[in-house]
Amino acid sequence: MNTADARRILETALICAQQPLSVRDLRVLFDDALGADTIRELLGELQQAWTQRGVELVCVASGWRFQSRPEMREYLDRLHPEKPPRYSRATLETLAIIAYRQPVTRGDMEEIRGVTISSQLLKQLEDRGWVEVIGHREAAGRPALYATTRQFLDDLGLASLDQLPELQSPSPQADALAGLAGELPEAPGADGEGDAAMASGLPIEQGLFADETPVPADAPAAPAASTPTPPHEADDADDPDHAQALPT
């Protein structure tokens, strides 16, 4: 098989795939007749061949995939004119803490943010497929340790956590997540509401994550094993001035 035929086979498989394909997956196309280094070289050639097109070939955490370029989004959105998903500031900062400080416990997150973080917020991130429990800290209560997933990296268009911007505090880290790669898929159950927040220019997802209580300045550090958060607590998620939108 010549190089042109091998590139065409790779190109076809990647265009038709519904999820990223790893080099191991792609070797199956050739019955392992081509080595991993050869596959990577061909993928690099394909990347170059698509540089002047509206679609690009990228490597993310789960493998290789074709995706539209960020500058095409304005036009593609016209085919599906939907409101973008809206994520509260609380959600973004919690996600940023997990991404930059992982593995972390809920108590760690509360100490960094200075507010009580509810189980509902963490469950929403787990249900979205962006975070998962990878173990338990050897401390009183054996609190769960949270980390981000490959799905999180794929949705951000990253191959590894090393590609995250180097920032020190949760607030700019949250801003970086909001703008990184230009898009994140919509979270399940987003209702597209939030007109008051939309009017302020900083939309949030209505009704999600209104479940945190500020921690008093003189309060002791959060314990390693956090107790469940009581329902109906206040949260900065409902404040439009503390919200961010992650595009579709």
Side-chain angles (χ1 to χ4, degrees), residues 4-231:
D5 287 340
R7 276 200 307 267
R8 186 162 56 250
I9 292 170
L10 288 173
E11 183 179 60
T12 302
L14 288 165
I15 289 175
C16 294
Q18 297 184 356
Q19 58 188 16
L21 297 176
S22 67
V23 171
R24 179 181 299 178
D25 295 331
L26 295 171
R27 289 186 65 185
V28 174
L29 294 169
F30 307 99
D31 199 20
D32 283 340
L34 298 182
D37 290 341
T38 302
I39 295 290
R40 292 190 185 94
E41 182 177 343
L42 292 171
L43 290 169
E45 293 174 4
L46 274 178
Q47 279 185 311
Q48 287 298 113
W50 284 75
T51 52
Q52 301 302 316
R53 304 185 186 183
V55 174
E56 61 183 344
L57 177 61
V58 299
C59 179
V60 294
S62 298
W64 292 77
R65 72 181 181 198
F66 277 105
Q67 64 184 34
S68 61
R69 294 184 183 277
E71 58 268 27
M72 295 293 104
R73 183 184 165 199
E74 173 187 354
Y75 307 99
L76 295 176
D77 282 350
R78 294 171 185 171
L79 294 174
H80 305 285
E82 300 175 357
K83 293 181 181 178
R86 285 160 286 279
Y87 298 88
S88 72
R89 190 73 184 182
T91 306
L92 289 175
E93 289 189 359
T94 301
L95 181 60
I97 289 170
I98 297 173
Y100 280 87
R101 311 289 181 93
Q102 61 185 301
V104 291
T105 67
R106 178 173 153 185
D108 295 333
M109 300 176 222
E110 291 175 339
E111 184 173 357
I112 293 170
R113 288 202 65 228
V115 295
T116 299
I117 298 175
S118 78
S119 299
Q120 181 189 4
L121 189 153
L122 293 172
K123 186 177 186 302
Q124 290 281 354
L125 291 175
E126 287 185 277
D127 290 345
R128 187 62 189 85
W130 288 339
V131 305
E132 63 182 349
V133 174
I134 61 169
H136 294 80
R137 178 172 293 169
E138 293 299 328
R142 301 191 74 247
L145 288 166
Y146 290 88
T148 53
T149 63
R150 282 193 174 187
Q151 182 65 50
F152 167 76
L153 291 173
D154 288 350
D155 288 349
L156 279 179
L158 303 177
S160 71
L161 291 168
D162 293 338
Q163 295 178 347
L164 286 171
E166 293 186 8
L167 301 170
Q168 297 302 315
S169 62
S171 185
Q173 288 168 1
D175 293 336
L177 291 186
L180 193 60
E183 60 181 79
L184 280 178
E186 183 170 358
D191 57 14
E193 296 298 325
D195 294 338
M198 289 282 285
S200 73
L202 291 170
I204 62 173
E205 182 160 315
Q206 189 82 352
L208 287 185
F209 311 125
D211 47 19
E212 295 183 343
T213 297
V215 175
D218 58 352
S226 305
T227 56
T229 306

